Amino acid sequence: HALSSSSSKLVSAYDKLLSSRLPRFQVDPANIEFLTTPQRFYESMMQGIQTATQRIVISTLYIGNDAKAQALLEAIKKRLREHEEIKLVIIVDSNRTLRGPAVAGAMEKNPGSVKEAQSQDGNYAKLRDLVSEFGSNRVKVALFPSPPWPLLGLPKWVFDKLGTRVHELRSVF
């Protein structure tokens, strides 16, 4: 019982700290729906995209390369083509978005070739193409930076020794 009380106090203190520094808004619990399976999440995303009237906002670690991710992007494009008033905002992790097979290989071999690899590869190319097709007045892409190394309690050199993909771990802490 002492552990749960201690944990509760820690969570409360952390909540107060975040509340004093970050914007927030209240939501009626009756308006919250828990999506308990990946399929249900996907269906909810597709329904939201297909019924959007003003904006589509997506915040995610990355846009996948599988068939469902491609279908999601196609649904977004279709909705944007059909309704010129709809705006799109996508917020993604910068490390994951700027990494793909070609980008990761370029980073390992020659850091100077990363820009060329990014222009042809994965998430970066998909998002760049959305902005190119629909314009920066309708499509905004924000790359979320990983937290600074000191916030994780480990020196940067530890992560540098572990390789480029370990940098993505900062974003999920």
Side-chain angles (χ1 to χ4, degrees), residues 20-103:
S20 70
R21 296 181 181 193
L22 301 173
R24 69 185 210 179
F25 54 92
Q26 292 187 312
V27 176
D28 181 350
N31 293 329
I32 297 173
E33 177 185 0
F34 290 95
L35 306 174
T36 58
T37 66
Q39 182 61 32
R40 181 65 191 108
F41 177 75
Y42 175 76
E43 291 166 358
S44 178
M45 290 279 295
M46 289 298 275
Q47 179 184 11
I49 290 166
Q50 293 165 351
T51 59
T53 58
Q54 295 178 12
R55 76 186 68 81
I56 300 168
V57 179
I58 298 173
S59 178
T60 184
L61 183 60
Y62 66 99
I63 306 291
N65 292 318
D66 63 354
K68 285 187 176 182
Q70 193 58 40
L72 198 78
L73 285 171
E74 290 304 317
I76 289 170
K77 290 177 185 179
K78 181 176 189 261
R79 195 69 182 170
L80 290 173
R81 285 182 191 119
E82 292 172 349
H83 300 274
E84 291 187 15
E85 69 280 5
I86 293 178
K87 296 185 185 283
L88 171 67
V89 176
I90 298 180
I91 304 164
V92 289
D93 174 71
S94 61
N95 284 316
R96 188 67 183 254
T97 299
L98 297 176
R99 173 180 69 81
V103 175

Side-chain angles (χ1 to χ4, degrees), residues 122-158:
N123 283 295
Y124 181 85
K126 290 176 198 173
L127 298 174
R128 181 205 58 222
D129 292 348
L130 280 171
V131 175
S132 293
E133 181 174 346
F134 297 101
S136 60
N137 61 327
R138 291 186 66 202
V139 176
K140 304 286 185 207
V141 175
L143 300 179
F144 179 81
S146 299
W149 291 109
L151 290 180
L152 301 178
L154 292 171
K156 181 181 180 302
W157 66 265
V158 170

